[in-house]
Structure formats: C-alpha cells, structure tokens
Amino acid sequence: MKNWNVRKTVVAREDMPAEHRLKQSLSWPHLVALGVGAIVGTGILTLIGVGAGKAGPAVILSFAIAGAICACAALAYAEVATMIPASGSAYTYSYVVFGELIAWMIGVALILEYTLVVSAVAVGWSGYAAGFLNSIGLGLPNALTQGPALGGILNLPAIFIIWVVAGLLMAGTRESATLNAILVAIKIAALALFIAVALPVFDASHFHPFMPFGFPKSGASGSEVGVMAAAAIIFFAFYGFDAIATAAEEAKNPSRDLAIGIVGSMAVCVAIYMAVAAVAIGAVATTGFANSAEPLALILRDIGQPWAARVLGASAVIALPTVILAFFYGQSRIFFTVARDGLLPSSLARVSRRGTPVRITIFTAIVTSVFAGLIPLASIAALANAGTLAAFIAVCSAMLVLRRREPDRERKFRAPLPWVVGSGGILGCLYLFYSLPNRTQIFFLAAQVIGLVLYAIYGSRAAERSRAAGA
C-alpha cells in the first residue's frame, strides 16, 4: 500500500488510446433528462409513503432538508466536474485531489450504491410488470417473480429489464439518452396528472399535527422515526444527479453542459417533489398512505379516481426503466474508469466501434442480475444511501481543497458561497448518515473494511503495474 496517496493526473482525450476513448455525443438537454430520469422515479412513487410513516405531515420538511443537502452537493459536483471533466464522478475527483486509497474507498461506496439502486429498481419494476401481466391474463408463476428468500426461484422480470437496458446502452449512448428523454416526459406527465386530479380535494387539516414524531431520529433500532429519520431514507429520492458527472467524457461541451445538467436537474426535481408531497398530504391524511408500496396510486383510488391510479401505474411500468438506465449508465462508467486506472482488470476498459464500453456493460449486467434475481433488497436498500453520502462528502471536500490548493485555477462554474455550500454539504451528509438505521451504518462500514482488504491484496499492486506499463 505504499502508493496509497498517489494522485491521478487526468489524461487529455487526444492522448488516450483509441480503445479507451468514450464517444462525445451528449448535449445539456440529454444530461438534464438523464438526471431527472434518475431522480424522479422510485423515490417519489414509493418513498413518500415510507417518509410519511416516519415523519407524518412533516415529511414535506424531510423532503426540503434532503433536497437542500443534495443541492449543496450538486453545486459542489458542478464546480468540480467542470474542473475535472473526466468519467468516474466522485471516484475520479477523489483520485485527483486526495489520492489512490481514498479514491478506491469512494469507488467501493459508489459501486455498492449503484448496484443496489439498479437491482432495487429492477425488482420494483418487476412487481409492477407482474401485476400488469396478471391483469391481462399472462401472469407468471410466483416462482419466476420472486427470489429464493421469498419462496421463489428467480425474479425473471427484474433480470429481463436489466438486460434490456444493458442492450440499449451497448447500442449507443446518444440513442439510449434520447429514449430516456422520451420516457422522462411520460413520467413527468403522470405526476402532473396526479397533481391535477388530487389538488381539488386538498384539505389543510391533514397537516395537523405537523410533526407528530419530533425532529431528530428516535425510536428503537430498525423502526426509527422523526423528520431526520425520514430525511435519511427520502434522500434516496434525490440523488441521481451524480450519474450526470459520470458522463463528463461523453458531453459535447463539458465545461457548460455538466453544470447545466447537474444544477438544472436538481432544480426541476426539488420543485416536483415538494409539489407532489404537498398535494398528496392535502388529499389524504398521512396515516392513509404511510408505508404503502404504491402511495400515489393508493391516494388516487381513495379519492375515487381509479382511472387515474391505473394511468399512474402504467406510467410507472413504462418509465421506471429510466431510473435503471441512468444508474446502470453511471455504474458502468465508474467500473470502466476504475478498470482504466488499473484497479480492476484493464481488459474491461475497452470501447466498441460505436464508442460504448460493451465489456464493462455486460459485466455490470451480470453483477446486478445476481442481486435482482436472487436477493430481496428491501432490508438493505438504505445501504445505497450510505454509499452516496460518502461520495457527496468526498466531492464537497474536494471542492474546498481545490479552492485552497489552486485558488487561481480556471473554473467554468463557480459554486456560490463555496465554504458555506461545501461545509453545509459535508455536515448535512454526516447528520443524514447518523440518522440512518443502525444496521445500515454497520453494513456500510463492513463493506468499507472489505474494500480496504481488497485494495491491500490486489488493487494497490495492480494500479502500480498499470502505471508502470503506461509510463
């Protein structure tokens, strides 16, 4: 581990071997759609119910807190991403600013986060798809829609959608981004329909008492409640803009497009979430949809609008794959960058004639298929939040370090009030991590210890050999 503090130098695109160059095909509308596609999805469709069960009507405050912390991180991402326009997101920024070991640990956190998110959303989509097939008389046996832990054999629909998305990404980044933009539009239209149908029955009395479980995390381990306990879970509903940073090398004009994509997608999504949450609580008291697996559809049925509930459910089946696509994209690019740096087998870091990393995409599909097909993720889904919080802390810290280390370096995007934004992002993420379930905190720390062992026995020497070969 003698090279633990070696810092990475970003290689210019024209100096890379042709097989390591990703095709530049994305403009800022593609990046905004990628971010919105990742952010608006499982979070608002399901986690508003979980949050309501933990915070009551104050779930709106939980959304605001999680959104504010993510906004700080988004501004830091926008500044650092335009300074280091290379694929790999927080992993690459940590490598450039802090060194190899910190980068590896952030890489472990990101890969764990993305694997869990892709797998969890695939399983969620499987539930919607299985219900739809049953409704038209083409239902699959339970053995093929559940993993072994739930009495089945294999979650076939979840594996199916993962490989469909993998095929889209292998076909071409721009093509998959264009389809993603269309599906995002469908998803936004469905949420607009929810607001339009539910708003006429708005009842302000549903907001009292506003904070029945208090502000800080409280309660027994595994059943924590409070505004911050809800915010720590709802945080899942906001992140996704970091997937935009993984597209840095594929942006046509990264110095402009990355900042617009990151900040733009966050601004759009915070507005959507606050509006949907307020209308949902106004339509039905939080006790009526707390902890529901389909809270928005349940609300529409409760107010006598089953047709709107069916439309919302259909849009989820059609558009939830945008979340899988965005996170699958991000995960494959992080795997690709780690392999290109030599910390994973470098043979994985090759692109096809279409400029897409086919080998790493297939590898990513295999890994996520194992999780989605065999393992029920409900009990450990919050672990994805822990990995994201670590990445956000790293990026906010990187922005502050670069401000001090290289104050005169050109910045295409400058975060306003950087020490307030950076410190707010770091402290907010630490408080959210503290507010996570205790079991999640233990799982995350265990994964980091395993990552440290893997770096000591493989990663450090592999990266050193890669640097020597490229010298």
Side-chain angles (χ1 to χ4, degrees):
M1 295 178 59
K2 62 180 180 180
N3 297 311
W4 67 273
N5 61 345
V6 170
R7 291 191 307 196
K8 177 180 178 178
T9 300
V10 176
V11 178
R13 175 182 173 81
E14 57 270 17
D15 295 331
M16 291 181 185
E19 68 270 15
H20 287 176
R21 295 180 196 168
L22 294 165
K23 184 178 179 181
Q24 293 179 299
S25 60
L26 302 178
S27 55
W28 69 262
H30 289 113
L31 297 178
V32 171
L34 183 70
V36 174
I39 299 169
V40 178
T42 308
I44 193 61
L45 291 172
T46 62
L47 288 185
I48 186 174
V50 175
K54 291 181 174 293
V59 67
I60 291 181
L61 183 57
S62 301
F63 271 114
I65 292 170
I69 294 170
C70 279
C72 290
L75 291 169
Y77 261 92
E79 178 170 318
V80 177
T82 54
M83 293 178 70
I84 310 172
S87 187
S89 185
Y91 158 78
T92 295
Y93 311 149
S94 297
Y95 211 154
V96 171
V97 177
F98 302 118
E100 187 173 276
L101 178 59
I102 298 298
W104 171 264
M105 302 306 287
I106 295 300
V108 169
L110 284 173
I111 288 171
L112 186 64
E113 166 209 339
Y114 279 46
T115 298
L116 288 169
V117 171
V118 170
S119 303
V121 178
V123 171
W125 181 89
S126 172
Y128 280 107
F132 175 75
L133 290 173
N134 280 330
S135 70
I136 60 174
L138 297 175
L140 295 173
N142 288 337
L144 296 180
T145 60
Q146 303 282 1
L150 297 178
I153 298 174
L154 192 68
N155 193 328
L156 197 58
I159 296 174
F160 167 78
I161 195 61
I162 285 173
W163 284 95
V164 168
V165 171
L168 285 172
L169 290 172
M170 287 186 283
T173 301
R174 182 181 176 85
E175 292 81 359
S176 56
T178 300
L179 176 61
N180 176 71
I182 295 170
L183 296 180
V184 166
I186 294 173
K187 193 158 49 176
I188 298 301
L191 292 175
L193 173 68
F194 171 82
I195 292 174
V197 172
L199 188 58
V201 299
F202 188 92
D203 183 352
S205 67
H206 293 165
F207 289 84
H208 303 287
F210 183 67
M211 199 181 298
F213 305 112
F215 184 83
K217 178 181 77 171
S218 62
S221 178
S223 57
E224 294 87 351
V225 295
V227 171
M228 287 308 300
I233 302 301
I234 283 174
F235 181 74
F236 177 95
F238 280 98
Y239 63 78
F241 64 83
D242 55 332
I244 298 172
T246 67
E249 290 182 33
E250 292 161 277
K252 292 179 178 179
N253 185 356
S255 61
R256 180 199 66 182
D257 295 346
L258 289 174
I260 295 175
I262 291 171
V263 177
S265 62
M266 269 301 299
V268 169
C269 293
V270 168
I272 291 172
Y273 277 15
M274 296 300 293
V276 171
V279 171
I281 295 170
V284 174
T286 55
T287 53
F289 63 89
N291 299 312
S292 169
E294 47 167 1
L296 299 187
L298 177 63
I299 289 169
L300 291 174
R301 286 194 293 269
D302 280 357
I303 63 174
Q305 302 291 345
W307 66 270
R310 286 193 294 271
V311 171
L312 187 71
S315 71
V317 173
I318 294 170
L320 268 182
T322 62
V323 183
I324 302 173
L325 187 147
F327 280 96
F328 197 122
Y329 173 90
Q331 186 186 33
S332 66
R333 269 47 178 183
I334 291 170
F335 267 132
F336 175 83
T337 307
V338 175
R340 194 168 61 186
D341 290 338
L343 288 163
L344 289 174
S346 58
S347 60
L348 293 173
R350 290 182 178 272
V351 297
S352 69
R353 286 176 295 179
R354 299 178 67 90
T356 58
V358 171
R359 294 184 183 183
I360 205 68
T361 300
I362 293 173
F363 176 71
T364 303
I366 292 171
V367 172
T368 52
S369 291
V370 170
F371 277 88
L374 301 175
I375 304 173
L377 297 175
S379 62
I380 59 170
L383 184 56
N385 284 8
T388 307
L389 289 168
F392 285 7
I393 290 170
V395 175
C396 289
S397 301
M399 181 189 73
L400 297 181
V401 169
L402 288 172
R403 286 276 183 147
R404 180 60 64 89
R405 184 189 294 168
E406 303 177 42
D408 299 324
R409 183 171 167 181
E410 181 184 13
R411 288 166 170 82
K412 300 290 185 181
F413 175 86
R414 299 179 70 90
L417 302 173
W419 295 98
V420 174
V421 167
S423 300
I426 293 169
L427 294 175
C429 288
L430 287 173
Y431 192 20
L432 284 177
F433 183 84
Y434 166 76
S435 301
L436 284 170
N438 295 336
R439 182 172 55 184
T440 297
Q441 296 168 347
I442 294 171
F443 281 163
F444 173 76
L445 294 175
Q448 290 294 296
V449 170
I450 293 171
L452 187 62
V453 172
L454 290 175
Y455 176 78
I457 64 178
Y458 172 78
S460 178
R461 285 192 291 271
E464 184 176 14
R465 288 194 298 269
S466 178
R467 283 192 294 272

